[in-house]
Amino acid sequence: MSTCLQALPGNTNADSVVQHKLQHPVIARHVRLLPLDWNPHGRIGLRLETYGCSYDSDVVSLDGRSSLLFRSSPGPRRTPAASLSLAFKTPRNSGTLVQAEGRSEHSLTLQLQGGRLLLLLPKGRRPVSLGSLLDDQHWHHVSVELRGDGLNLTVDSSSLWVRLPPRLAHWDHAQVSVGAGRGLASRGHFRGCVENLVYNGLNLVQLAEKKDQRVTVQGDVTFSCAEPVSVAMTFTSAQSFLRLPLATEAPTTEASVGLHFRTWNEAGLLLTFDLPQREGVVWLYLSGARLHLQIHKAGRAPLELSAGSALNDGQWHSMELVSRRGHLSVAVDGGEGATAHASPPFLIAVGGQLFLGGCPAEGSRRLCMNPFEAFQGCMRLLTVHNQPLDLIPVQQALMGNYSHLQIDMCGILDRCSQSHCEHGGSCRQSWSNFHCNCSGTGYGGATCHSSLYEQSCEAYKHRGNTSGYYYIDVDGSGPIGAQLMYCNMTEDHTWTVIQHNNTALTTLRPAPGGGRLSAHFEYASQDDQLAAVIGQSQHCEQELSYHCRKSRLLNTPDGPLLSWWAGGPGDGQVQTYWGGAPPGSQQCSCGLQENCVDPRHSCNCDADRGEWAHDSGLLTHKQTLPVRSLVLGDVHRPGSEGAYRVGPLRCHGDKNVWNAAFFDQETSYLHFPTFHGELSADVSFLFKTSSSSGVFLENLGIRDFLRIELCSSTEVLLSFDVGNGPTEVAMTTAFPLNDDRWHHVRAERNVREASLRLDELPAATREAPADGHIHLQLNSQLFIGGTASRQRGFRGCMRSLRLNGVTLDLEGRAGITPGVQAGCSGHCSSYGSLCQNRGRCVERTSSFSCDCSSSAHSGAFCDREVSASFKSGTSVSYAFNEVIGSSGSSSVSSDLDLRAENLSLSFRSLQSPALLLFVGSSRREYLALLLNQHDMLEVRYRLDSSRAADILRSKVPNLADGHLHAVVLSRRAAAASVQIDQNPKEDFNLTSDVEFNSVRSLVLGRVPDSAELDPELSRLASVGFTGCLSGVLFNSVSPLKAALLHPDTSPVVVTGPLVQSICGSTSADPHAAGTRHHLSGQSGSVGTGQPEVNAIRRDSALIGGVIAVAVFVTASALAVAARLLYRRKATRRRREGKTPKPDDNGGSSEEHKEYFIQEVWTETEPPCFTVKKPAEHRPAEQRASQLLSPVVCRDCTRTPS
């Protein structure tokens, strides 16, 4: 008998005919109809016609000890195209179905294990499994087909492809055993029926029935299939129960009750009955997937026993309660699942009313009480006093009563067998639903469908993230997994950096025998990830350089090729050009620019000179990236020396993030092919509009549909129908959505639920019906920005539209569609707030950038402070009497007169008194910012050279404590204010003058020319400043930024040591990395110097260097920290005594020497990172958070303060 669980609606009147075509063929001798609902306006009746075909059946019944053995005829048995097919049904969840044996490498076994079918291949190959709950006593069809380089395994409607090595690409079986197996892998004999077992065209059951000599029958075999004698019943809901009346006179010396059950639930009542004379009650129930017995008797303590474990695995388990001569036992699975014993001092007898699965409604509590959950699952083989109970009279209403019960069938479903949990998520289920555990997968949602990570560095940047390591999922919910990559957020571009196993400059050692040398490069990302990153980027590049002395590179274009490299997908294609030259040119950069050292050659190295030279440049042709291998051929001659470097792959520009279209009419739309998201569909996009309504997306089927629309200025609606009726998920906001700013919509629909999320608001969700339709079947075109009716269209911009991880090319389709324009402008209205610290948002055709020219900060968002450590001899002088170009500071003309100033900076020092900043004029007027001898801030204004300076003293104490302090000074005419850190603002009034005339220069640190100052200030100016300064901004001029980042184009003079550092500000970006400069287009140079030795690293040297550096860093940090603590204590002791003074020579005494932990790196190299390896068992989101906290180790002599 075959089973087809399908609901078929009938007619609603007496005349109409309703036809149904089954999705799958049914092979059956009997057809059983279960009425689910009656027509409330008509009478009960049935008229049924069925159409089908004849079916030949050769069946054999095996009793668990019998089997068939087929031996193939002598002769060649190698069959490159072979097949095996059969149908079976069984009440057991384990046993060997078929075992085909030949040589050791040519064996094949089909066996049941835990109700699943396992395909066992030769030793060394992992078994594969398919199907579930195959022990349900229904027919299941199995086929194994050998095709080329693999096997196709099919169980019912599910298929699985298994790839095989070439040596196993044929069958060579000497014999085939049916129903029994040999060896350690055997699961015992099979018990059940096998039908139409066909092996390579031979029906083995038919041969056995005809007593063919090639088939041997072992044991008791019958060529028919008996129907099962057990009647199962299904408890479908929490209202299910079965009441059975039992004999009132039960045996007094022995009583027992037993049954078999299967369920997915951890809890539920199996049965309950009263003790004699209603003196107590007995409950047998599941809790925590264990079997529990509770007996409550008035006046006595409750008796409790438990046995078994993991009884919610969906398999059949037996349970038996036995009371014999005062001894009580509960056994699970015949004692294999443990047995619990007790000796109650009262009689246990089974009689009266027996309730299974649950209790009737509230009105019957006096007959049955269930303090536990109701049972949902299947039961069979119910026995009382070792006598089986026939349930057919119950179905015929001749005995007992029941509710929400299905008799003569087990309707258990394995909801996890369909693999609805995606991306490696693990599935757990209950009777009515399933749950996906997405921990450690990098995906989330009800079915682990949606990626937790952004799809590019560009997307991370526009969420406000700075440079660092991030997980990148290039295709979102697609099959490509997330990969950890470095994102370098510069002011101009957002670079994705993918490292490989050797980015260092590497020397060449001649190969034995004078052959060519080759190098292969393994990348941190998989091939599909690399291809996706390169494909979605606007530009990719990779540095390729060769340093040479008497070592030719490519030779002449007409001569034999000496060296080459391979690049592109897979193993790559051979390329005969070098960095900086076009593909196929067989040239280097100097040959393209016609400036090679020898004009007869196209590469510097091909000149074959005795001096060191190099050919370097960038490879930018995306189709040939990344570099996979490198072959160098001229390194074996005497005197030949060479070194190569292949840099990391670097890409910028995400074509998907900014792919946009503007819909300027309500009737305009774009159309694409049908969206196929039958079981899982996710849609994400950004929109901005000034309209209050419009349809973003619509796709129709015959009855099914999918639509996302803007219903009002504050509501977005997801609506769909998969056959269960229209379903809506609405998202309402407290802010307007038609504000012409970008808003992010993410919608997902899967077999568990539908969700809608807007911007960063919590998602709105709606669960799907437990047993409803799950397939979304669409067949029309996909409409974007409108509908098929050309009504209620969307007016505005949409960009970055992705469906199941695939980006739709809105710009490409908009270019050929009237009423729709490619691209959108106006990004600063949404992203301008990302530009910090006076940075200005600049619109671009695609994307935006932050202009940091008027900020003291740098970085992609003007969020990285520019800081430097000063020593007593350090001086930074910025001249205002010159016109400044485009170096990054605002232009200021000569003869600068100021009636107002805005000054901000941060400092850290242990020195007092100390001059922090000095602004002088050609009229002997000045502004000075200093720490006085009491560790407090003073601002001195002398705006009239004939009068004494105004001294503004702050009341904030202890500023020379080695901690970072922020100072903001503002003056408008005579009104001035000072604010330090988060302290209240302090207001002052000037008395000398209100105009700062002829401002000449600004000095940080030691003032070179201080002779014209008053004696006290002159003494401080000559001593200089020891400490750290950060974020210095005077009106729109940032002198420290000019000195560190633009020294060649700014009117700034630096004397003494000035080292870029991080003062310890909380706003400093721990992930920051400067722009890396490559040798783009440089042809190289010729000289006598060889490549730097430190740059030619090998793995062993690198590892040893890292260990040595780590030891050095630890020792240095401890020494400096100890010194710093000692100086702090000494400083406090001095302050408790007298205030220290500068020595007579104008310098600082020994007691004033300051020691700081310096943090130094160059802007031309991004910082390297020591990345903590996360524990594999932790969730991927936790591992990502660890990896976003790198330890900068470029200059291993510095330690964060």
Side-chain angles (χ1 to χ4, degrees):
M1 183 181 71
S2 294
T3 298
C4 182
L5 298 177
Q6 184 174 353
L8 305 175
N11 59 339
T12 56
N13 54 53
D15 302 318
S16 62
V17 176
V18 179
Q19 294 182 344
H20 296 282
K21 185 176 181 180
L22 301 181
Q23 296 180 356
H24 303 287
V26 174
I27 302 173
R29 291 186 179 91
H30 309 281
V31 176
R32 179 181 174 190
L33 301 178
L34 298 176
L36 300 179
D37 198 9
W38 303 111
N39 183 0
H41 305 293
R43 297 180 179 179
I44 298 174
L46 175 66
R47 183 177 62 207
L48 176 68
E49 294 181 357
T50 60
Y51 302 88
C53 306
S54 61
Y55 181 75
D56 296 326
S57 173
D58 292 292
V59 64
V60 62
S61 180
L62 305 174
D63 62 1
R65 296 180 298 274
S66 55
S67 63
L68 306 179
L69 181 62
F70 167 78
R71 291 184 176 89
S72 60
S73 303
R77 299 189 301 264
R78 295 172 62 94
T79 53
S83 65
L84 169 67
S85 64
L86 67 123
F88 74 92
K89 71 174 183 177
T90 178
R92 289 186 176 179
N93 65 357
S94 63
T96 299
L97 267 173
V98 179
Q99 187 175 59
E101 296 179 289
R103 293 180 301 167
S104 60
E105 289 193 345
H106 290 275
S107 63
L108 179 148
T109 302
L110 288 174
Q111 69 179 26
L112 289 174
Q113 179 179 338
R116 299 176 64 86
L117 184 71
L118 263 64
L119 171 63
L120 304 180
L121 295 171
K123 186 180 298 184
R125 307 289 300 176
R126 296 181 58 184
V128 296
S129 65
L130 198 62
S132 178
L133 304 177
L134 301 179
D135 58 339
D136 57 359
Q137 300 188 83
H138 297 308
W139 285 108
H140 298 282
H141 296 266
V142 179
S143 68
V144 181
E145 297 176 278
L146 180 65
R147 300 177 183 174
D149 60 347
L151 287 174
N152 188 65
L153 173 65
T154 301
V155 177
D156 295 332
S157 58
S158 301
S159 295
L160 183 66
W161 176 255
V162 182
R163 189 171 298 277
L164 297 176
R167 71 179 188 278
L168 300 178
H170 63 277
W171 282 0
D172 188 4
H173 299 147
Q175 64 181 27
V176 178
S177 176
V178 181
R182 298 185 302 174
L184 297 176
S186 175
R187 287 280 168 179
H189 284 55
F190 171 79
R191 178 183 175 184
C193 300
V194 177
E195 181 188 50
N196 292 346
L197 195 160
V198 180
Y199 174 79
N200 288 341
L202 295 175
N203 189 327
L204 303 189
V205 177
Q206 188 181 76
L207 293 178
E209 189 174 9
K210 293 181 178 181
K211 300 182 180 180
D212 190 290
Q213 61 180 2
R214 290 173 293 179
V215 179
T216 302
V217 177
Q218 299 174 341
D220 185 12
V221 171
T222 59
F223 293 97
S224 63
C225 187
E227 294 297 325
V229 295
S230 64
V231 177
M233 50 187 173
T234 306
F235 296 79
T236 59
S237 71
Q239 290 77 39
S240 300
F241 76 93
L242 170 63
R243 181 184 65 84
L244 294 175
L246 300 178
T248 57
E249 297 295 333
T252 58
T253 59
E254 182 174 341
S256 68
V257 60
L259 57 84
H260 289 204
F261 67 90
R262 71 190 314 176
T263 182
W264 299 115
N265 291 355
E266 292 185 351
L269 177 69
L270 292 176
L271 61 87
T272 180
F273 59 90
D274 290 336
L275 295 175
Q277 287 79 45
R278 302 179 62 85
E279 294 179 347
V281 63
V282 177
W283 290 290
L284 267 167
Y285 62 96
L286 294 176
S287 178
R290 290 173 56 84
L291 180 65
H292 293 260
L293 169 68
Q294 276 195 28
I295 302 177
H296 286 200
K297 183 176 175 62
R300 295 184 180 272
L303 173 66
E304 296 188 15
L305 295 177
S306 62
S309 62
L311 301 179
N312 63 330
D313 57 0
Q315 305 298 316
W316 282 109
H317 296 281
S318 66
M319 177 281 300
E320 187 176 23
L321 169 64
V322 178
S323 175
R324 182 183 294 114
R325 298 182 181 89
H327 182 77
L328 186 67
S329 66
V330 178
V332 175
D333 294 335
E336 295 181 4
T339 302
H341 303 271
S343 298
F346 47 84
L347 177 66
I348 303 295
V350 183
Q353 305 286 337
L354 178 64
F355 290 89
L356 293 99
C359 291
E362 293 294 329
S364 304
R365 289 182 64 87
R366 62 184 182 86
L367 298 176
C368 176
M369 183 176 66
N370 179 18
F372 313 104
E373 296 183 33
F375 175 78
Q376 289 179 284
C378 299
M379 294 186 191
R380 70 179 184 185
L381 299 177
L382 176 63
T383 62
V384 177
H385 309 319
N386 293 322
Q387 297 298 317
L389 289 182
D390 186 5
L391 297 178
I392 296 301
V394 177
Q395 187 181 27
Q396 297 172 346
L398 300 177
M399 180 179 69
N401 70 325
Y402 60 88
S403 176
H404 295 82
L405 188 70
Q406 296 176 351
I407 301 179
D408 201 14
M409 68 175 297
C410 178
I412 189 172
L413 298 176
D414 188 350
R415 303 177 189 276
C416 289
S417 65
Q418 302 299 320
S419 301
H420 292 313
C421 298
E422 304 178 44
H423 300 108
S426 60
C427 179
R428 295 184 61 188
Q429 60 185 316
S430 64
W431 180 259
S432 58
N433 221 326
F434 71 95
H435 170 73
C436 295
N437 183 1
C438 308
S439 299
T441 65
Y443 296 84
T447 59
C448 311
H449 176 76
S450 300
S451 178
L452 301 178
Y453 309 110
E454 297 292 343
Q455 295 175 318
S456 66
C457 290
E458 190 86 11
Y460 275 112
K461 175 182 177 181
H462 293 98
R463 293 187 61 180
N465 296 95
T466 55
S467 298
Y469 282 94
Y470 297 93
Y471 274 105
I472 304 295
D473 195 334
V474 289
D475 68 339
S477 59
I480 303 176
Q483 176 66 41
L484 190 68
M485 301 181 188
Y486 184 73
C487 298
N488 190 6
M489 320 287 192
T490 68
E491 295 182 25
D492 297 325
H493 299 295
T494 301
W495 292 94
T496 302
V497 183
I498 303 176
Q499 300 286 344
H500 56 76
N501 57 328
N502 183 18
T503 58
L505 185 63
T506 306
T507 54
L508 297 174
R509 301 297 182 191
R516 288 184 170 91
L517 295 180
S518 62
H520 297 272
F521 306 101
E522 300 293 335
Y523 288 81
S525 299
Q526 302 296 326
D527 287 351
D528 51 0
Q529 294 166 335
L530 285 170
V533 169
I534 294 172
Q536 74 180 15
S537 300
Q538 293 178 340
H539 171 83
C540 290
E541 64 184 35
Q542 197 165 8
E543 182 184 355
L544 182 61
S545 63
Y546 186 60
H547 296 255
C548 56
R549 185 167 69 176
K550 294 288 291 181
S551 178
R552 295 165 295 173
L553 185 57
L554 300 179
N555 210 349
T556 61
D558 299 329
L561 192 64
L562 297 176
S563 306
W564 61 85
W565 56 276
D571 294 332
Q573 298 294 322
V574 173
Q575 307 295 330
T576 59
Y577 69 101
W578 207 250
S585 62
Q586 201 168 327
Q587 290 184 335
C588 298
S589 176
C590 69
L592 185 67
Q593 300 174 6
E594 298 182 353
N595 60 356
C596 295
V597 295
D598 188 338
R600 296 174 299 175
H601 297 278
S602 299
C603 298
N604 289 318
C605 291
D606 288 343
D608 202 20
R609 296 190 175 185
E611 302 88 6
W612 280 100
H614 73 273
D615 289 292
S616 303
L618 293 177
L619 305 171
T620 59
H621 192 61
K622 293 203 301 182
Q623 286 74 9
T624 62
L625 295 177
V627 178
R628 300 286 185 174
S629 60
L630 178 66
V631 177
L632 299 167
D634 190 21
V635 294
H636 55 275
R637 293 184 298 154
S640 295
E641 295 182 75
Y644 69 88
R645 182 180 187 271
V646 177
L649 177 67
R650 304 172 73 246
C651 298
H652 73 74
D654 186 345
K655 294 187 295 185
N656 297 332
V657 167
W658 300 105
N659 193 307
F662 174 66
F663 303 84
D664 58 358
Q665 300 176 15
E666 187 175 310
T667 57
S668 59
Y669 61 85
L670 299 177
H671 60 85
F672 291 87
T674 305
F675 174 44
H676 296 287
E678 286 78 7
L679 296 176
S680 294
D682 73 276
V683 180
S684 67
F685 60 90
L686 292 100
F687 76 91
K688 67 172 186 172
T689 182
S690 56
S691 300
S692 59
S693 64
V695 176
F696 297 120
L697 172 150
E698 182 182 81
N699 206 166
L700 305 178
I702 298 177
R703 294 183 179 179
D704 297 359
F705 70 90
L706 175 68
R707 183 182 300 113
I708 304 176
E709 60 185 306
L710 179 66
C711 291
S712 69
S713 60
T714 58
E715 184 180 18
V716 174
L717 180 68
L718 163 67
S719 57
F720 61 92
D721 189 354
V722 295
N724 304 315
T727 303
E728 294 183 348
V729 183
M731 188 76 186
T732 304
T733 67
F735 51 86
L737 299 174
N738 58 342
D739 55 357
D740 210 26
R741 297 167 62 91
W742 286 112
H743 297 281
H744 195 184
V745 175
R746 283 160 288 185
E748 180 181 350
R749 179 263 153 194
N750 52 58
V751 298
R752 277 287 316 277
E753 67 179 22
S755 64
L756 179 64
R757 187 175 183 185
L758 187 61
D759 295 334
E760 299 303 319
L761 298 175
T765 61
R766 183 164 182 177
E767 289 192 5
D771 296 307
H773 297 278
I774 60 175
H775 290 85
L776 177 64
Q777 298 176 342
L778 307 174
N779 55 22
S780 72
Q781 289 183 323
L782 170 65
F783 289 86
I784 305 299
T787 64
S789 62
R790 301 177 67 90
Q791 297 178 357
R792 300 186 300 118
F794 171 71
R795 296 184 62 186
C797 279
M798 292 180 64
R799 69 174 176 89
S800 190
L801 174 60
R802 289 179 179 262
L803 283 77
N804 278 353
V806 178
T807 300
L808 299 189
D809 186 9
L810 299 179
E811 291 186 353
R813 190 60 61 94
I816 58 174
T817 304
V820 186
Q821 301 175 16
C824 289
S825 59
H827 305 302
C828 283
S829 61
S830 300
Y831 301 111
S833 60
L834 294 177
C835 299
Q836 307 171 31
N837 301 303
R838 299 182 61 177
R840 183 175 60 89
C841 183
V842 179
E843 290 282 355
R844 291 184 175 180
T845 305
S846 293
S847 184
F848 71 98
S849 64
C850 294
D851 180 7
C852 305
S853 60
S854 298
S855 172
H857 295 67
S858 63
F861 304 113
C862 311
D863 58 339
R864 191 169 65 213
E865 287 192 357
V866 180
S867 311
S869 60
F870 283 69
K871 299 195 176 190
S872 58
T874 305
S875 175
V876 176
S877 299
Y878 188 98
F880 290 108
N881 56 355
E882 301 179 21
V883 177
I884 305 167
S886 59
S887 64
S889 301
S890 300
S891 298
V892 183
S893 60
S894 59
D895 296 330
L896 180 63
D897 298 331
L898 299 175
R899 293 182 60 86
E901 300 91 37
N902 290 303
L903 170 65
S904 61
L905 60 83
S906 298
F907 70 92
R908 186 183 67 188
S909 179
L910 294 174
Q911 177 186 353
S912 66
L915 181 63
L916 302 177
L917 175 144
F918 180 82
V919 181
S921 77
S922 58
R923 299 188 182 183
R924 301 183 65 184
E925 299 175 357
Y926 64 80
L927 161 64
L929 190 69
L930 57 93
L931 291 178
N932 61 24
Q933 60 185 358
H934 303 294
D935 295 354
M936 302 172 74
L937 185 75
E938 284 188 9
V939 181
R940 299 190 180 185
Y941 267 108
R942 185 177 180 181
L943 302 184
D944 185 345
S945 59
S946 62
R947 301 176 61 180
D950 288 309
I951 300 179
L952 317 180
R953 292 187 176 92
S954 171
K955 297 179 181 179
V956 179
N958 301 324
L959 297 181
D961 57 357
H963 297 295
L964 191 71
H965 299 284
V967 178
V968 176
L969 169 65
S970 178
R971 181 183 74 91
R972 297 292 182 273
S977 65
V978 176
Q979 184 175 16
I980 300 176
D981 298 330
Q982 302 300 319
N983 295 289
K985 184 186 297 184
E986 301 173 88
D987 296 320
F988 304 91
N989 285 306
L990 304 183
T991 60
S992 56
D993 200 353
V994 296
E995 188 166 291
F996 196 177
N997 299 297
S998 301
V999 177
R1000 182 178 60 185
S1001 64
L1002 182 150
V1003 181
L1004 303 174
R1006 188 178 62 85
V1007 181
D1009 184 13
S1010 59
E1012 298 182 355
L1013 302 178
D1014 57 80
E1016 181 185 1
L1017 193 59
S1018 177
R1019 187 164 54 250
L1020 290 178
S1022 62
V1023 170
F1025 171 72
T1026 301
C1028 191
L1029 289 177
S1030 173
V1032 181
L1033 185 66
F1034 182 78
N1035 289 345
S1036 60
V1037 172
S1038 178
L1040 196 57
K1041 180 179 175 182
L1044 291 172
L1045 304 184
H1046 312 287
D1048 299 329
T1049 56
S1050 302
V1052 61
V1053 177
V1054 178
T1055 59
L1058 181 69
V1059 182
Q1060 188 168 352
S1061 175
I1062 296 178
C1063 286
S1065 171
T1066 56
S1067 63
D1069 179 10
H1071 309 308
T1075 305
R1076 180 159 192 154
H1077 299 288
H1078 287 263
L1079 303 174
S1080 177
Q1082 297 182 13
S1083 61
S1085 59
V1086 178
T1088 58
Q1090 65 183 32
E1092 294 184 17
V1093 175
N1094 290 337
I1096 307 173
R1097 296 174 292 178
R1098 299 173 185 84
D1099 291 343
S1100 59
L1102 181 59
I1103 294 172
V1106 170
I1107 295 174
V1109 164
V1111 174
F1112 178 75
V1113 166
T1114 303
S1116 300
L1118 290 174
V1120 172
R1123 178 63 176 172
L1124 184 60
L1125 291 173
Y1126 172 77
R1127 296 308 310 155
R1128 291 282 302 278
K1129 291 181 179 179
T1131 302
R1132 290 177 180 174
R1133 288 196 299 267
R1134 290 195 303 272
R1135 289 173 183 170
E1136 291 174 358
K1138 62 178 183 179
T1139 303
K1141 302 290 183 181
D1143 60 26
D1144 295 338
N1145 296 326
S1148 297
S1149 65
E1150 179 63 24
E1151 295 183 4
H1152 285 276
K1153 291 184 178 179
E1154 308 290 347
Y1155 296 87
F1156 291 92
I1157 303 173
Q1158 302 296 334
E1159 303 176 34
V1160 184
W1161 70 90
T1162 61
E1163 276 290 317
T1164 58
E1165 292 286 335
C1168 67
F1169 292 85
T1170 301
V1171 182
K1172 300 177 182 178
K1173 292 288 186 182
E1176 292 300 325
H1177 65 274
R1178 294 183 181 178
E1181 54 269 24
Q1182 294 181 10
R1183 300 202 299 268
S1185 66
Q1186 289 179 335
L1187 292 165
L1188 293 181
S1189 300
V1191 178
V1192 182
C1193 63
R1194 171 66 63 190
D1195 182 353
C1196 294
T1197 61
R1198 60 188 171 90
T1199 305
S1201 301

